[in-house]
Structures are given as C-alpha cells and as structure tokens.
Amino acid sequence: MARQVQEALRPGQSVELLQELHILTREGGLNQDSRRKLKQVYHLFGFIEKILLQLESAGHANITLADHGAGKSYLGFIIYDLFFRQREAGTIYGIETRQELVEKSRELAQRLGFERMRFLPLTVQESAQSDELPAQIDVVTALHACDTATDDAIAFGLQKQARHMVLVPCCQAETAGFLRKHKALNLSRTPLAELWRHPLHTREMGSQLTNVLRCLYLESQGYSVTVTELVGWEHSLKNELILAEYTGQKKRSAAHRMHEIVQQFGLQELLAARYPLVAGSAPAPEMA
C-alpha cells in the first residue's frame, strides 16, 4: 500500500472494509474524492467515539449500540472497525426493514470477521419488542434517517432507555404538511404565519420546527441535548447533529414549551402523532 494511504488510515483499520464502502479504490488507492470521504468518516466517528470512551470509563465494558434505519450499515461498520473490533466485548445492532440490505450486511460482517455485529430486518415497533435485542441499549444512532424515521429512532431510544442518542435528521416533510394544511387559517389568525406562507419557507420552517420539537421532547424525557453541525459529512444543508445524553432530569418546562409551540403553529395533530409522552393536557411550567 502506498505510504500516503498508510498515513491517512488509522492503525489497524480494515482496508477491505474501506474498499467495500468505496472510500478506498479497489486497488487500495486514495484519490482526492476518497480522501475527502475518509476525512468525513473520521469527523463523524469522533463524536461517537467520545461517547463510547465515556461509557467505557464509567465501567460499561459490554457496550450495546443500535443503528436505526441502518441501510447498508455504513455507520455501524465504521464504528465496529475503529472501536469495537479492538475490544473483547460490545455489540452493534443494525436495524433495517429491507431484507436484501440486511443480508448483504450479514455477508460482509462474516467475511470481515466482525462477529459482534447483528443485523435485524425489523421495523421500529418490532425492534422495541424483539427478544433479539437487549432490554436496554447504551447508544442509539440514526444517520440521515428520512422524515419520521428519526422520530422512530427516538421512540426506540426512549423505550430502550438509551443512555445516548446520536441523530442526523434528513428530509423532514411531515411538519411542513401540517403547516400547509392549516395555512389559510393561520394567516388569518397570526402574522407569524408569514414565516411559512411561501412554499420554500414552509419546507424550511417545517424542518426547523421538527428538530426543535424533537429536542424539547428529549429534554422532557430526561435528556440533556446538544445541537451542532456535522461539518463536512456531505455537501448539503442536511447537516444537523443532535446529541442527547440521559440525565434523568425530566424538564416539565420543555413539555410546556412544546404545547405552546404547537398551539402557535397549529400542529396539535403532530404532537399527538409523534410525541405521545407529552400529548394531552399541557403540563404546568416548572417553578423558577
């Protein structure tokens, strides 16, 4: 292997895996495009590695990680190769509804000797109830989970009492649909509706509101939330990274804010559909 390739890779990293993921060429080369991809991979892994090291230092040797909406399990394979493979314990579960992708991932894991990777052809509802998964999951990830798939991952994480969630939302459309549905009524009711009167603004506002509500929902269920940019992962605006860590301190004020927001934007149907643990009567805000 060329010296520049060896210098670019982490020690012991699987060249075969990087070739399968098209980060390295079939000849093991590293062109300008693949160098950019490798840098992006390391950037994303950096966020997750900190969480895994934190869990390890706290005595959680047998770490469990569930990658929801795994697709080709790109993320899971990278995490396993760079972290789990060097350790004797810990398991990654790739959860994906498409059976053909699950089979391909199983074949690749077997070929690479990644023995503690499991791939399950399950929906979010099935995965929450499946006896093939442990009762509790340490880390839940969802990379570019389209539209409501991110909400599904959050619901799974809550059911599995996840200690951490790492979410990169993508292509939110559901909230924009509700905004369009009630646009005429809201335009007559509040000048704030001008913020989403035009179709492009409706889409952008829907995406923004979706992630704001998700963060508040997580806070209402006992998570500390950080929102940052996943810089360099792709050349698009779908670059938001939500990091949630369970603290056990449920914020009533977050649930109260959610009710206020859905009232202001006419999103009561969304609250009932996606955030059942705070739906119903609005909770009183916390005392100062």
Side-chain angles (χ1 to χ4, degrees):
M1 186 187 300
R3 182 177 178 181
Q4 63 169 352
V5 176
Q6 290 180 323
E7 292 175 349
L9 303 185
R10 292 197 175 191
Q13 192 166 10
S14 171
V15 172
E16 184 180 355
L17 173 63
L18 294 178
Q19 289 174 322
E20 289 287 344
L21 299 179
H22 305 293
I23 292 174
L24 291 181
T25 65
R26 285 296 175 189
E27 295 74 29
L30 189 67
N31 55 34
Q32 185 175 356
D33 182 60
S34 57
R35 186 181 297 276
R36 176 182 58 82
K37 289 180 181 178
L38 189 62
K39 183 178 180 180
Q40 293 165 350
V41 166
Y42 288 157
H43 183 83
L44 174 60
F45 176 72
F47 289 103
I48 299 172
E49 183 181 32
K50 290 178 183 178
I51 293 171
L52 298 175
L53 289 172
Q54 178 184 332
L55 288 168
E56 191 174 54
S57 64
H60 300 289
N62 190 23
I63 298 171
T64 53
L65 183 148
D67 185 22
H68 232 285
K72 297 178 180 179
S73 295
Y74 191 108
L75 178 60
F77 277 114
I78 289 292
I79 297 171
Y80 191 94
D81 187 38
L82 294 179
F83 187 87
F84 284 78
R85 189 161 62 92
Q86 289 76 33
R87 290 159 173 82
E88 295 181 356
T91 304
I92 291 181
Y93 298 89
I95 302 170
E96 170 59 47
T97 58
R98 290 167 287 184
Q99 180 72 44
E100 67 276 12
L101 295 183
V102 170
E103 292 298 334
K104 288 181 180 179
S105 294
R106 287 173 176 171
E107 291 170 6
L108 179 57
Q110 184 176 13
R111 191 162 71 248
L112 295 174
F114 289 6
E115 298 176 352
R116 287 172 283 114
M117 292 194 79
R118 307 284 183 269
F119 302 96
L120 307 174
L122 302 172
T123 65
V124 63
Q125 293 84 3
E126 293 168 342
S127 63
Q129 305 299 326
S130 174
D131 57 8
E132 295 184 83
L133 287 155
Q136 184 178 22
I137 293 289
D138 292 311
V139 184
V140 173
T141 61
L143 174 62
H144 292 161
C146 285
D147 199 13
T148 60
T150 298
D151 299 300
D152 291 342
I154 291 173
F156 172 85
L158 293 176
Q159 288 176 296
K160 289 295 185 179
Q161 302 173 320
R163 292 185 171 91
H164 296 267
M165 299 192 210
V166 180
L167 311 167
V168 182
C170 180
C171 305
Q172 283 100 228
E174 186 178 49
T175 303
F178 284 120
L179 289 175
R180 282 191 293 270
K181 181 179 178 181
H182 303 296
K183 187 177 293 187
L185 174 62
N186 286 323
L187 280 168
S188 65
R189 184 178 61 85
T190 172
L192 284 177
E194 291 294 334
L195 293 172
W196 67 94
R197 176 163 64 91
H198 298 287
L200 177 61
H201 294 162
T202 303
R203 185 180 66 193
E204 293 174 346
M205 181 60 71
S207 180
Q208 176 77 353
L209 281 170
T210 300
N211 287 336
V212 167
L213 289 170
R214 285 167 175 164
C215 292
L216 288 170
Y217 190 48
L218 287 164
E219 288 176 342
S220 77
Q221 301 307 307
Y223 287 81
S224 171
V225 177
T226 301
V227 181
T228 187
E229 287 183 314
L230 187 61
V231 178
W233 179 252
E234 63 174 5
H235 297 294
S236 83
L237 297 176
K238 301 160 189 172
N239 204 30
E240 186 168 338
L241 173 63
I242 300 173
L243 301 168
E245 178 179 3
Y246 187 72
T247 65
Q249 298 176 351
K250 295 184 177 183
K251 292 186 177 180
R252 287 180 295 162
S253 60
H256 183 75
R257 283 291 189 185
M258 290 183 72
H259 280 269
E260 290 182 322
I261 289 171
V262 300
Q263 287 289 339
Q264 189 66 244
F265 289 88
L267 297 172
Q268 291 86 345
E269 296 167 87
L270 179 68
L271 189 73
R274 296 296 164 197
Y275 312 109
L277 298 179
V278 299
S281 58
E286 294 163 318
M287 299 298 291

